Amino acid sequence: MSQNIKASITAVEGYVPEFVLTNKELEKLIETSDEWITSRTGIKERRILKDPNKGTSDMAVEAINKLLKKKNIAPEEIDLIICGTITPDMVFPATACLIADKVGAKNAFGYDISAACSSFIYALVTGQKFIESGTHKKVLVCGFDKMSSIINYEDRTTCIIFGDGGGVALLEPATDENYIVDSILKSDGSGMQFLHQKAGGSLTPPSHHSIDARLHYVYQEGQSVFKFAVTNMADVSAEIMERNNLTADDVAWLAPHQANKRIIDATARRMGVGDDKVMLNIHKYGNTTSGTIPLLLWEYENQLKKGDNLIISAFGGGFTWGSIYLKWAY
Ligand code: UT7
């Protein structure tokens, strides 16, 4: 065990289902328009996992198998799998256990982290601590959601923003000065009233009533969530820059949770970071909840350079939010 071990992201992979749900298609389902959705959110289309026999774990398995292959790592070498998700395959067992079984990670233990849109950053920091403690050497941090399984496609304000997909990052002990440097994670359960899923938990177990009353879908008071998201995501991003003495020039990339382009723009403005440094794929995938940040890292991987300063920021249900400062390791 050593106090000096640091954790680096050494590989990323992503997966999105093939089916594309465009704004034009949504126009046929609900009273909306491509123009409204694009101007209010920045979203043009999202992916949907159509296969009724597939869940969140199946998307993770696709990405992990690709990651193991490209890194030439045997599944038995994985020590730990942490899965950030709010749409687990089942209430229990944890999706991470199912993933480990499906990819053949026989020596890994695993568990899920549920922090809505902040799930991936919570999971990344948790995985980081296992590496830093010296007890674990290869940790897979997943962020995946099959949001289509809990979205009411008659609720036009909510259904337009969500999609399915996600990604995975491999954490290993750092070999140089490029590693996860700092993080700020926060939560405030009083935000529950604005964003939650009413039924299916121990408070309101599934019943005929809960189905009839459509209580198993995402309930979101969009405008309220928007206000908290803009303030908190911008504040925490500025805070992590300040306490690490980073100016906007020092920041190579902002990887912001993709919920609404206007929230992303407000965060970047607050940090003083130009659009050219802001990772963006909301137009293609919408809000994949736990999936947005690893999907960004995957898509921008070939533009990242060793030593780049990255700020990752998220805000979501709980409320949960936070920022991570890391130096890209490859
Ligand atoms: O990732 C987890 C955290 N979640 C978020 O960060 C989401 C934050 N919230 C948002 O992104 C936005 O609040 C939404 C995109 C969800 C909604 O946008 P908004 O600008 O806040 O819309 P609104 O709910 O204030 O509605 C404005 C108007 C209303 O019409 P009236 O009452 O002004 O006549 C709505 O009925 O827009 C109407 N509207 C729509 N019109 C066309 C709502 N949804 C739609 C729609 N198409 N899909």
Side-chain angles (χ1 to χ4, degrees):
M1 310 296 138
S2 162
Q3 291 300 311
N4 298 319
I5 301 172
K6 301 289 186 184
S8 300
I9 294 180
T10 55
V12 286
E13 261 300 334
Y15 175 79
V16 287
E18 271 170 35
F19 184 85
V20 178
L21 178 60
T22 62
N23 290 351
K24 284 277 168 216
E25 280 301 311
L26 282 173
E27 284 178 0
K28 295 178 195 161
L29 295 176
I30 45 171
E31 182 82 40
T32 192
S33 66
D34 175 39
E35 199 281 326
W36 192 94
I37 301 173
T38 307
S39 62
R40 301 308 290 167
T41 70
I43 301 166
K44 297 296 284 184
E45 56 189 46
R46 63 290 290 144
R47 301 298 182 98
I48 304 293
L49 184 58
K50 280 282 187 187
D51 187 338
N53 298 313
K54 291 205 163 152
T56 294
S57 72
D58 298 295
M59 297 191 287
V61 166
E62 294 276 350
I64 291 172
N65 282 337
K66 279 191 286 174
L67 183 145
L68 295 178
K69 197 168 170 212
K70 84 175 175 192
K71 290 291 285 181
N72 199 20
I73 293 172
E76 293 83 2
E77 292 176 57
I78 301 300
D79 302 311
L80 166 59
I81 298 178
I82 307 174
C83 184
T85 188
I86 56 160
T87 52
D89 285 21
M90 298 171 169
V91 173
F92 77 92
T95 301
C97 299
L98 307 178
I99 295 169
D101 180 50
K102 289 182 187 181
V103 302
K106 293 187 169 49
N107 299 313
F109 81 106
Y111 57 89
D112 294 353
I113 284 188
S114 170
C117 301
S118 307
S119 296
F120 182 78
I121 61 168
Y122 276 34
L124 192 63
V125 172
T126 309
Q128 171 201 351
K129 304 297 176 190
F130 277 96
I131 297 281
E132 288 178 351
S133 74
T135 55
H136 296 74
K137 295 208 159 37
K138 284 187 169 43
V139 177
L140 289 176
V141 178
C142 305
F144 287 89
D145 268 304
K146 182 183 170 184
M147 291 306 292
S148 61
S149 65
I150 54 168
I151 291 299
N152 176 1
Y153 285 94
E154 291 177 5
D155 173 358
R156 69 173 183 166
T157 313
T158 307
C159 76
I160 49 134
I161 67 171
F162 291 102
D164 301 341
V168 55
L170 174 65
L171 284 178
E172 294 184 276
T175 53
D176 57 23
E177 71 284 2
N178 298 311
Y179 47 76
I180 300 173
V181 180
D182 194 15
S183 57
I184 302 171
L185 300 179
K186 303 199 181 215
S187 67
D188 176 0
S190 69
M192 181 278 284
Q193 59 185 303
F194 304 115
L195 182 52
H196 58 266
Q197 186 179 332
K198 292 185 191 300
S202 59
L203 183 64
T204 312
S207 65
H208 288 294
H209 166 72
S210 71
I211 303 282
D212 292 343
R214 309 185 145 231
L215 303 183
H216 293 270
Y217 292 128
V218 172
Y219 172 86
Q220 177 170 262
E221 292 181 24
Q223 264 192 27
S224 303
V225 177
F226 184 91
K227 283 181 205 142
F228 283 102
V230 164
T231 310
N232 288 310
M233 209 161 110
D235 280 355
V236 79
S237 305
E239 187 182 343
I240 204 155
M241 283 174 69
E242 274 159 33
R243 83 177 192 190
N244 288 282
N245 299 314
L246 293 172
T247 66
D249 285 344
D250 298 324
V251 175
W253 293 99
L254 166 66
H257 171 55
Q258 311 277 296
N260 188 317
K261 173 81 162 50
R262 291 182 289 142
I263 300 172
I264 297 168
D265 290 345
T267 302
R269 263 200 308 276
R270 176 74 190 283
M271 294 167 69
V273 162
D275 288 349
D276 55 326
K277 293 181 173 182
V278 180
M279 295 185 187
L280 206 67
N281 59 14
I282 192 170
H283 50 293
K284 293 194 290 185
Y285 306 138
N287 181 354
T288 53
T289 302
S290 310
T292 61
I293 289 164
L295 275 176
L296 284 175
L297 298 178
W298 169 56
E299 289 209 323
Y300 280 79
E301 183 186 27
N302 58 14
Q303 295 184 56
L304 296 173
K305 291 189 210 69
K306 192 179 171 84
D308 275 356
N309 288 318
L310 255 75
I311 302 289
I312 300 176
S313 299
F315 180 90
F319 291 138
T320 58
W321 69 102
S323 264
I324 296 174
Y325 163 41
L326 62 85
K327 294 175 92 68
W328 195 248
Y330 64 96

